[in-house]
Amino acid sequence: MLMEYIEEALKKAHYEIIDDVEPYYGEVKELKGVWAKGKTLEECRNTSKDVIEGWIILSIKKGMLIPK
């Protein structure tokens, strides 16, 4: 169930190329504070998965609402 949520959140991610050592930037605007960078799009997506998972765990721990 957790992986399904993460995969759905990744579908809503917006990616762009920025002027940085890690030029790929991704953000899930529906999940406040969820963003990641990477040297490749694949690396950015993998980092995003970890960030989303951490965001979910922290939200549960703090009793915050998690968007559907």
Side-chain angles (χ1 to χ4, degrees), residues 24-35:
Y24 289 87
Y25 173 83
E27 178 179 24
V28 181
K29 293 180 182 180
E30 293 84 358
L31 306 178
K32 186 177 179 183
V34 172
W35 62 272

Side-chain angles (χ1 to χ4, degrees), residues 5 16 27 39 58 67:
Y5 188 93
E16 62 184 271
E27 178 179 24
K39 291 183 180 178
L58 183 62

